[in-house]
């Protein structure tokens, strides 16, 4: 296997050369603590070393699909992961549920396809969330609209998206006639990695099949309510014929924000430019005289829905930052308590021995 086809650039090769006695591989999939790794001469299952596990401080330190890792060389079908090479990009979200942890959706991506269907899944506010996370990831976002055959207002919706997806390529596709799929191919070239994110049933598997040139990913079509069915159950990196790789991801019920300040700033650059035009530096954008945001809301240049979406995402980021600080403080507190308890036990033992 040629790791250059799997995205091993000169940058990653240089990083890998720093670890003598180990060979590079790329994470293709993960399931219950086991990773499927593609190496130069083999494909194997691997798990992280005990030392790796001991030094990992958070879930994001562990390998994710798309990561380049260092494993022990050999020909056997099992290996041990000792290091994760520094990522050039990563799609991060807050873990689903009540967990206060970040989760790496995929790593080392060049282009991130943000998939949204033109039927019941169409949601501008969700797309703004995707764009914020995409810009923060370090990958280049591309909006892919699917199921255009189910929509009679394509041009109006295209215009709506162009107004919020500033400077982002927009592709329109349909599985009914394969229309528009050829637009995707130029993004997947030798050594490039693309990933797809979107809700369940928007047609990501259909796009994957287009790239692979085969019916690799199962499709289940539409339900009676015109919504797609969930088909992908895990993240997986696949080799595209002719070079390049694609990462498929399951439909995500939640896509919570995690420290995506720069991404939000990029996705809502129009609002942040307005804020800079306010008369007062500490403007709250509520009722101040000379507030450029309020004026834009009043004359219709900025929609109330978009501004509320911006405020909501900023609030989520602030919450995530507070959560991280809370957990870090809690960890420090318990370490201090453990240190004091250890010192007290040593002192008590010393007193006992002196007696």
């Amino acid at each position: 296997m040629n790791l250059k086809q799997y995205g091993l650039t000169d940058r990653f090769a240089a990083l890998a050369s720093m670890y003598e006695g180990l060979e590079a591989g790329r994470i293709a999939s993960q399931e219950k603590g086991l990773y499927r790794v593609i190496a130069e001469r083999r494909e194997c299952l691997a798990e992280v070393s005990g030392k790796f596990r001991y030094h990992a401080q958070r879930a994001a330190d562990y390998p994710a699909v798309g990561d380049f890792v260092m494993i022990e060389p050999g020909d056997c079908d099992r290996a041990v992961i000792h290091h994760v090479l520094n990522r050039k990009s990563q799609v991060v979200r807050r873990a689903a549920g009540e967990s206060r942890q970040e989760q790496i959706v995929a790593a080392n991506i060049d282009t991130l396809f943000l998939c949204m269907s033109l039927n019941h899944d169409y949601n501008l506010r969700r797309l703004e969330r995707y764009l914020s996370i995409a810009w923060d990831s370090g990958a280049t976002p591309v909006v892919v609209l699917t199921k255009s055959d189910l929509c009679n207002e394509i041009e109006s919706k295209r215009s709506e998206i162009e107004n919020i997806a500033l400077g982002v390529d927009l592709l329109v596709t349909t599985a009914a006639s394969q229309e528009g799929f050829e637009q995707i191919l130029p993004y997947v070239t030798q050594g490039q990695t693309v990933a797809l994110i979107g809700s369940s049933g928007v047609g990501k598997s259909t796009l994957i099949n287009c790239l692979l040139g085969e019916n690799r990913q199962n499709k289940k079509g539409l339900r009676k309510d015109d919504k797609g069915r969930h088909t992908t159950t895990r993240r997986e990196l696949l080799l595209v014929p002719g070079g390049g790789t694609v990462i498929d991801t399951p439909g995500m019920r939640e896509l919570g924000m995690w420290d995506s300040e720069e991404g939000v700033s990029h996705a809502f650059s129009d609002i942040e430019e307005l804020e800079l035009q306010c008369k007062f530096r500490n403007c709250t954008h509520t009722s101040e005289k000379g507030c450029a945001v309020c004026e834009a809301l009043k004359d219709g240049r900025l929609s109330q829905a978009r501004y509320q979406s911006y405020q909501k995402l900023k609030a989520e980021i602030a919450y995530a930052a507070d959560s991280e600080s809370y957990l870090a403080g809690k960890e420090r507190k318990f370490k201090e308590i453990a240190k004091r308890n250890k010192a007290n036990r040593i002192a008590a033992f010393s007193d006992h021995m002196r007696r």
Side-chain angles (χ1 to χ4, degrees), residues 40 59 95 105 144 187 192 228 240 249 302:
E40 194 69 42
V105 176
V144 180
Y187 294 93
Q192 294 285 298
V240 175
T249 64
L302 173 63

Side-chain angles (χ1 to χ4, degrees), residues 37-53:
V37 179
I38 305 295
E40 194 69 42
R41 293 181 295 277
R42 59 173 171 160
E43 179 178 327
C44 60
L45 290 178
E47 58 183 338
V48 298
S49 68
K51 184 177 180 181
F52 187 108
R53 196 182 305 274

Side-chain angles (χ1 to χ4, degrees), residues 145-290:
L145 300 178
T146 64
K147 305 182 183 180
S148 61
D149 56 303
L150 301 177
C151 177
N152 296 321
E153 304 172 334
I154 294 177
E155 290 309 314
S156 64
K157 290 188 175 181
R158 180 196 290 270
S159 178
E160 287 179 339
I161 291 173
E162 288 174 345
N163 286 334
I164 67 168
L166 308 174
V168 177
D169 290 348
L170 173 60
L171 312 180
V172 180
T173 68
T174 173
S177 63
Q178 304 294 304
E179 180 184 342
F181 285 167
E182 68 279 358
Q183 303 172 72
I184 299 172
L185 299 177
Y187 294 93
V188 193
T189 56
Q190 176 76 27
Q192 294 285 298
T193 297
V194 303
L196 294 84
I197 63 172
S199 303
S200 297
V202 298
K204 298 191 299 298
S205 294
T206 301
L207 296 174
I208 295 287
N209 289 335
C210 168
L211 291 173
L212 298 179
E214 58 179 294
N215 192 20
R216 173 71 176 269
Q217 305 297 88
N218 292 327
K219 298 181 295 180
K220 296 184 180 179
L222 293 175
R223 302 184 329 206
K224 293 181 180 180
D225 57 4
D226 193 32
K227 294 183 180 180
R229 300 177 187 272
H230 175 84
T231 57
T232 304
T233 58
R234 65 174 182 175
R235 302 177 189 89
E236 185 175 13
L237 181 141
L238 303 165
L239 183 64
V240 175
T245 52
V246 57
I247 298 176
D248 193 11
T249 64
M252 285 174 277
R253 178 172 48 86
E254 297 181 30
L255 195 60
M257 305 295 289
W258 185 275
D259 193 22
S260 305
E261 187 77 34
E262 291 185 13
V264 171
S265 294
H266 200 141
F268 293 89
S269 58
D270 54 334
I271 296 179
E272 300 215 340
E273 286 177 9
L274 285 171
E275 291 178 335
L276 293 175
Q277 298 171 25
C278 291
K279 183 177 180 180
F280 302 105
R281 185 173 299 178
N282 60 345
C283 184
T284 62
H285 317 302
T286 53
S287 58
E288 292 91 343
K289 185 177 181 180

